[in-house]
Amino acid sequence: MSGVAVAAVVVVVVAALAQPDAGVSDLVVRIAELLLAGGAAYLLDDAAVVLTTVTPVGLWRRRLPQLVVGVAVLAVAWIVILAVLWRQDSLPPWPVNVELAVLCLVALAAAAVLAARDEAEPGGLVAPAIGLLGIGALIADLIVAAELFVPRDGSGGDGVRLAWACLGGLALLVIVVASRDPGHVGPLRATTARRRSAASHTEGRTD
Amino acid sequence: MSAAISHHPEAPTVEHGSALRALARAEAKRFARHPLFLLGLAIILVAMAGSLVQQDVGANPMFGTLFIAFLIGVFGFIVAHRLTTSMLRTRDLTTTTPVSRQQRTLALCLACWVPAAAGVVVAVFMVVTAAIWEPVGDPVTAHVAWFRDDPAVDVLATLVAMGPVAALGGPLLGVAVARWAPFRGSALIGVVTLVFLTAMPSEAEAHWRALSAWPLLVDEYINDGGGPVVRSSFVPGVEPIWEMFFLLCLCGLAAVAALLRDPGHRRELLGAGAALTVGAVGFFLLAVA
């Protein structure tokens, strides 16, 4: 994952050095975004899932350290990229940060779905898929001239921003649903479970 | 108490040719059945059906090569990468088989003819549809990069270079990347780098565009007010036939690079690599001369 983050920074730095006066193109920034989003797909990987699932620690508790470190690495990489872009006077508008966050959420959502289907390392499948999907969207953006990404000049694009926000919300929902811990019993379920347990206990006595 | 020391038995040797053929067939089947390869083909089929319904090729008949290069070539990169790394993921099993890892890599390289064949089929479809509904510009006399206005050799060489050769090169590069960089994330980095390096802007000089692994050999033009493409022409200063051979040499170099990961046949491979490098340089110089 850190290799992907480094690659994203390298791509932007090389582009900035290659044409110091022209600024970094939107294509390069989007490629860096795709790399970082692909990197996010590896955050739910757990090669030892067979062993870790039998521990009494909850799913999110197990994922938390890797998620925190991974998000920190991605955030640092993005900050470095923004710093390079700022030096080149080609800093993108703030909705681009939301665009990246949504791409990361989509990657995490896909990884969470695969993880729920007992895939130990979903990142290996999701990351290239995110790359292909993003490149496909970039090509479609060029050919069809349909606005799929947030406009860089900050003008218009309210519909696109709304679509990205909806996509982010949907991805968040998928992450929550796909990451339900089968071993965890919530407060509502706990009451029901206690009643059932008590009922079966009473039945056992009368028998 | 006695202890018996059992050396790890060497893998039994089998006849090279037959084993390689069987292995290549098996890898080709795996490639052809891979969901990502099938997804790319499905999208292409939808686009082909759309062009049949539309009954119009447009003023840039080479446009379809973009689909071949991306949906077969770039998707094929990931497919080949997955197939190659699966060999490493099942190391315990693959080491017990009577074929070397280099033979397995060669079989994977041979299996890359599956996407190349798919690319050929799509290219033939493009030729057939353009023969039925002749591509014309706006006005009708406007130049179109096709058989009516340009030499057949140039048209065919461009079609092959931007279509089937791209469909072959992407997967071969996928095998090479997976053999040399089998770490997690190499597929993503590889595919993004591949697209990044091949996406030469149309304003770039002809020799820079010719150096790209997927060179844009055709320029398309639209009217000032925008709208559809009205005419297209070959990039001046690039000879398509030599460019095609240059790209084929790059494909060969990718295969040699993949095979060089293992120690066997080092001398022959280095010789082939040197010959292909000389060939690539020579063809490139001829292409931009």
Side-chain angles (χ1 to χ4, degrees):
Chain A
M1 201 276 296
S2 50
V4 174
V6 170
V9 174
V10 167
V11 163
V12 174
V13 170
V14 167
L17 291 174
Q19 290 180 311
D21 301 327
V24 180
S25 72
D26 292 346
L27 177 71
V28 173
V29 179
R30 283 193 174 125
I31 280 172
E33 275 182 51
L34 287 178
L35 281 170
L36 292 178
Y42 293 102
L43 295 183
L44 302 186
D45 280 10
D46 183 4
V49 70
V50 181
L51 296 174
T52 52
T53 42
V54 295
T55 58
V57 183
L59 179 66
W60 281 109
R61 184 79 185 278
R62 290 199 306 270
R63 285 178 174 174
L64 197 62
Q66 194 171 336
L67 267 175
V68 169
V69 173
V71 169
V73 169
L74 293 176
V76 168
W78 183 239
I79 288 168
V80 172
I81 288 169
L82 288 179
V84 174
L85 295 176
W86 175 69
R87 274 187 65 86
Q88 294 272 310
D89 287 333
S90 43
L91 199 64
W94 69 267
V96 173
N97 300 315
V98 180
E99 192 178 276
L100 173 65
V102 171
L103 279 172
C104 290
L105 282 175
V106 169
L108 279 172
V113 169
L114 285 179
R117 294 170 69 89
D118 296 331
E119 179 65 47
E121 295 180 294
L125 293 169
V126 175
I130 289 287
L132 287 180
L133 204 67
I135 293 164
L138 283 174
I139 293 172
D141 209 26
L142 290 171
I143 294 171
V144 190
E147 280 188 349
L148 298 175
F149 291 92
V150 177
R152 284 292 190 268
D153 54 4
S155 63
D158 290 338
V160 180
R161 287 194 189 100
L162 185 66
W164 276 92
C166 290
L167 186 64
L170 187 67
L172 209 56
L173 189 69
V174 170
I175 292 170
V176 171
V177 172
S179 303
R180 281 179 304 176
D181 196 342
H184 177 72
V185 182
L188 288 175
R189 280 190 188 175
T191 315
T192 320
R194 268 199 301 274
R195 276 181 195 158
R196 277 185 189 159
S197 170
S200 64
H201 193 64
T202 318
E203 277 172 20
R205 274 188 177 174
T206 49
D207 287 344
Chain B
M1 185 184 256
S2 63
I5 299 171
S6 164
H7 291 290
H8 187 72
E10 286 291 320
T13 52
V14 292
E15 197 189 333
H16 276 249
S18 60
L20 184 64
R21 270 196 299 276
L23 209 53
R25 265 199 302 274
E27 296 294 357
K29 276 182 191 166
R30 287 178 71 204
F31 202 115
R33 288 174 186 166
H34 197 281
L36 196 57
F37 178 66
L38 295 175
L39 175 69
L41 284 189
I43 299 171
I44 286 185
L45 282 175
V46 170
M48 285 159 83
S51 73
L52 287 178
V53 171
Q54 207 175 3
Q55 299 191 352
D56 181 23
V57 178
N60 182 10
M62 296 291 179
F63 180 72
T65 55
L66 178 69
F67 286 87
I68 302 175
F70 180 62
L71 294 171
I72 301 179
V74 178
F75 276 44
F77 176 96
I78 300 287
V79 175
H81 190 284
R82 294 284 306 168
L83 293 182
T84 311
T85 47
S86 76
M87 188 166 74
L88 300 173
R89 285 195 297 272
T90 54
R91 200 189 298 262
D92 291 344
L93 288 174
T94 49
T95 48
T96 59
T97 55
V99 284
S100 67
R101 209 151 62 164
Q102 196 171 46
Q103 273 182 303
R104 288 194 159 272
T105 307
L106 184 58
L108 280 161
C109 290
L110 291 174
C112 293
W113 285 103
V114 170
V120 169
V121 171
V122 180
V124 169
F125 172 84
M126 286 168 63
V127 173
V128 171
T129 48
I132 299 169
W133 302 292
E134 195 185 353
V136 287
D138 184 18
V140 179
T141 52
H143 192 281
V144 173
W146 202 244
F147 294 105
R148 187 192 69 178
D149 298 331
D150 288 296
V153 175
D154 287 358
V155 174
L156 288 174
T158 304
L159 193 62
V160 172
M162 292 174 70
V165 175
L168 173 69
L172 281 175
L173 198 62
V175 176
V177 169
R179 289 300 284 114
W180 281 97
F183 62 88
R184 291 190 310 156
S186 70
L188 174 68
I189 294 173
V191 78
V192 171
T193 310
L194 175 67
V195 175
F196 179 57
L197 291 179
T198 53
M200 285 283 167
S202 55
E203 303 85 38
E205 295 286 330
H207 59 272
W208 284 114
R209 288 167 70 170
L211 202 55
S212 167
W214 189 67
L216 274 175
L217 299 176
V218 175
D219 280 330
E220 56 181 30
Y221 303 89
I222 56 173
N223 281 330
D224 288 340
V229 177
V230 291
R231 66 188 174 91
S232 58
S233 63
F234 285 107
V235 176
V238 180
E239 203 62 51
I241 185 77
W242 301 126
E243 182 67 20
M244 185 189 76
F245 286 123
F246 162 69
L247 294 173
L248 282 171
C249 285
L250 292 188
C251 292
L253 278 171
V256 169
L259 292 169
L260 273 172
R261 184 68 179 84
D262 295 305
H265 306 94
R266 191 52 66 89
R267 189 177 292 177
E268 295 93 326
L269 286 170
L270 285 174
L276 284 166
T277 306
V278 170
V281 172
F283 288 129
F284 174 73
L285 292 175
L286 282 170
V288 296

